[in-house]
Amino acid sequence: MITYRFLAGRGRDRMSRAELVTLDSAMSRTRTVDPRTAIVRRGEYINVSTYLISGYICRYMDDREGHRQLVALHVPGDFVDLHAFPMKRLDHDVASLGPVEIGTYEHETLARIGTDSPHLTRMLWYSTLLDAAMHREWIFRLGRLGAVGRVAHFFCEIDARLAMVGLSEDHRFTLPLTQADLAEATGLTGVHVNRTLRRLREDGLMSFRHGAVEIADPVRLARLAEFDPDYLYGDPPAAQER
């Protein structure tokens, strides 16, 4: 199945086989997108929603001077803009970070799913509520944590989300971010991010080099980040083992 990572570790077990088949077959097409390429522009009319099959996608906003703020990062298995179905436009831009493969869902098809498959529709709605929970946590991170806490929290979250979809092994994963991207996600300067990463590395907590992340001490890093994964609504261990 193309959508085998959708809600993996976060409720996929509550979907029936028929619903999984419906979700897969409803995808109208797939395509690859080059790195650092706009997928959706702010304000443009949209009649499809995007599912991320592989790679990483970010949502971002620019101020009047062109300074960018990353407001979300999407990992494989995420619906990137499902909320565009009722809204028909976005108030931010969406772009690939590295090379990505995406699938598209026509809004007409999503409307039919809403009529014919009410439980599947609730699961799609659930996925947008997970996005909202992460947005709230990002606001907390930017508003209440210092530089070290922000960077640590960011990597704790991405590690947890990638582990749910089988892309983080022993707290090691790849992430095609630059230090400038990380600065835009954490509200810091590039120089500050560089110093913070060096401190985390020298303290034996984690390293981030050339897109490779290794979290050496996840317990201490989470404590430093005030990271509690409850907002990710992961399945209980018993459900994950099934």
Side-chain angles (χ1 to χ4, degrees):
M1 283 190 168
I2 298 175
T3 57
Y4 69 98
R5 287 194 170 109
F6 177 64
L7 292 182
R10 291 197 283 179
R12 186 176 179 86
D13 63 301
R14 300 199 299 272
M15 298 171 63
S16 69
R17 175 69 181 179
E19 288 171 335
L20 297 174
V21 170
T22 295
L23 185 65
D24 232 46
S25 60
M27 187 181 294
S28 59
R29 72 184 185 108
T30 63
R31 65 185 177 100
T32 57
V33 180
D34 291 334
R36 307 285 163 167
T37 300
I39 297 172
V40 180
R41 290 291 190 185
R42 175 179 180 175
E44 70 180 9
Y45 177 78
I46 308 173
N47 60 8
V48 299
S49 287
T50 302
Y51 174 82
L52 180 54
I53 300 170
S54 65
Y56 297 88
I57 283 175
C58 68
R59 301 193 220 178
Y60 65 90
M61 302 175 75
D62 292 330
D63 66 16
R64 293 178 181 177
E65 297 180 357
H67 299 127
R68 180 161 297 176
Q69 179 71 43
L70 266 61
V71 297
L73 185 92
H74 288 283
V75 306
D78 286 355
F79 266 99
V80 178
D81 54 0
L82 193 58
H83 54 290
F85 170 38
M87 301 177 79
K88 300 306 178 188
R89 64 179 179 84
L90 300 180
D91 50 25
H92 55 276
D93 295 284
V94 174
S96 59
L97 287 170
V100 304
E101 183 179 10
I102 59 175
T104 54
Y105 286 80
E106 304 288 337
H107 287 172
E108 290 182 0
T109 302
L110 293 176
R112 286 197 299 274
I113 290 175
T115 300
D116 300 337
S117 303
H119 181 260
L120 176 55
T121 300
R122 287 195 295 273
M123 298 306 292
L124 293 171
W125 184 22
Y126 172 65
S127 75
T128 67
L129 297 177
L130 291 173
D131 285 342
M134 285 186 284
H135 280 307
R136 288 189 291 273
E137 193 73 11
W138 279 46
I139 292 170
F140 162 78
R141 183 174 72 214
L142 291 174
R144 303 308 303 170
L145 299 181
V148 174
R150 292 184 197 182
V151 173
H153 191 287
F154 176 86
F155 283 109
C156 284
E157 177 185 297
I158 300 304
D159 179 42
R161 291 169 63 191
L162 289 177
M164 290 173 177
V165 296
L167 293 174
S168 176
E169 184 174 356
D170 295 327
H171 306 287
R172 296 181 177 91
F173 54 92
T174 59
L175 190 64
L177 286 183
T178 66
Q179 288 192 15
D181 295 327
L182 186 55
E184 292 168 355
T186 56
L188 302 169
T189 65
V191 171
H192 210 161
V193 164
N194 183 273
R195 292 172 179 167
T196 300
L197 289 171
R198 184 171 65 245
R199 174 180 165 181
L200 293 171
R201 183 177 65 252
E202 291 174 350
D203 287 348
L205 297 177
M206 63 158 290
S207 64
F208 176 48
R209 291 190 180 95
H210 308 298
V213 180
E214 179 177 354
I215 299 177
D217 195 331
V219 174
R220 286 177 59 207
L221 190 70
R223 187 181 304 120
L224 183 63
E226 300 185 33
F227 177 74
D228 184 336
D230 279 357
Y231 71 97
L232 297 174
Y233 291 86
D235 292 336
Q240 293 177 15
E241 291 169 3
R242 287 200 292 268

